[in-house]
Amino acid sequence: MSAPPASPATSATSAAQASRAVWLKHLHQWHWISSAVCLLGMFLFSITGITLNHASQIEAKPTITRLEATAPAALVAQLRTYAEEHDGAKEPLPQAAEQWLKDTWKVQAGGRVAEWSADEIYLAMPRAGGDAWVRIELEGGAAEFEKTDRGWVSWLNDVHKGRNTGTAWNWFIDIFAVMCLVFCMTGLLILKFHAAKRPFTWPMVGLGVLIPVVIALLFIH
């Protein structure tokens, strides 16, 4: 004996449940994928958020390294000729000068822009967690190199801000931010699907929005 055909209401309910199950499956999949991709980044940015918030209370003792040398006469002559033609310009060092810096002090100029004048060349090399610069006099070839290391906390803070970290890390921050948005939005939609059986869902979400808004309005001046 065959079963009676399902009523339109029952069919509609079954279709709705099937659609809900499909959406939940996709949301859960994107939620765990985004959380996996963001795991280390969220850990890093959470820790550095604390160190940035208490930067004035965390003592830093910069280590400064100063080195001196004399550039070869042939290289100085080449640089002097170029400086006369590009006085006041901001151009990278010639390859010969970059190689000399690498051989002398293991400095990677990496095509950075230098400031050229008739008297000297100044190359700034800011980096995460510190600073560095090179100066070459064009009269006698006297060269100076100074490097400042402000410690690992300063390095982490600069990494958090994307300060002097290079193109690759800046791209990572942008992609990480997008994945965090995916993580938050999929989590919010998952909450929506389960809210009917969890009465505290929306009050907790509202509290998570209200607390930072109230603090910002009342205590940030």
Side-chain angles (χ1 to χ4, degrees):
M1 186 174 180
S2 60
S7 65
T10 303
S11 299
T13 301
S14 299
Q17 290 177 344
S19 177
R20 181 178 184 274
V22 170
W23 272 103
L24 268 175
K25 180 181 178 181
H26 285 297
L27 288 172
H28 278 289
Q29 186 175 24
W30 277 103
H31 193 63
W32 78 257
I33 289 174
S34 59
S35 67
V37 172
C38 295
L39 177 61
L40 181 59
M42 292 185 75
F43 179 81
L44 172 65
F45 279 83
S46 297
I47 296 296
T48 52
I50 296 174
T51 58
L52 275 171
N53 197 39
H54 298 276
S56 61
Q57 301 167 0
I58 300 176
E59 184 179 0
K61 295 181 179 179
T63 301
I64 300 176
T65 302
R66 293 187 179 93
L67 301 173
E68 296 181 355
T70 301
L75 177 60
V76 174
Q78 178 185 355
L79 295 176
R80 188 184 299 117
T81 300
Y82 190 91
E84 291 174 354
E85 298 172 354
H86 300 82
D87 188 12
K90 294 185 177 180
E91 300 285 345
L93 294 174
Q95 185 176 359
E98 290 192 357
Q99 187 63 45
W100 181 76
L101 292 177
K102 183 178 179 180
D103 295 339
T104 305
W105 294 316
K106 297 182 180 179
V107 171
Q108 301 285 349
R112 293 174 183 265
V113 174
E115 299 177 14
W116 294 77
S117 69
D119 300 325
E120 67 176 24
I121 303 168
Y122 179 81
L123 176 65
M125 297 180 291
R127 60 193 184 89
D131 196 9
W133 55 265
V134 170
R135 186 174 67 87
I136 303 175
E137 292 183 1
L138 298 180
E139 181 65 30
E144 296 176 89
F145 168 61
E146 180 176 295
K147 181 177 71 173
T148 302
D149 187 348
R150 298 187 180 91
W152 66 270
V153 173
S154 179
W155 184 86
L156 287 173
N157 290 344
D158 284 347
V159 166
H160 181 106
K161 295 181 289 186
R163 178 178 177 269
N164 301 321
T165 51
T167 303
W169 184 257
N170 288 332
W171 270 104
F172 169 77
I173 292 177
D174 289 341
I175 295 171
F176 168 74
V178 171
M179 294 308 295
C180 284
L181 287 174
V182 173
F183 178 73
C184 293
M185 294 305 299
T186 53
L188 185 63
L189 291 173
I190 291 172
L191 286 176
K192 179 180 180 297
F193 275 101
H194 293 296
K197 297 181 180 178
R198 298 172 183 174
F200 284 101
T201 297
W202 297 124
M204 294 301 295
V205 172
L207 194 63
V209 174
L210 184 63
I211 289 176
V213 169
V214 170
I215 292 175
L217 291 176
L218 295 181
F219 300 104
I220 297 179
H221 304 288

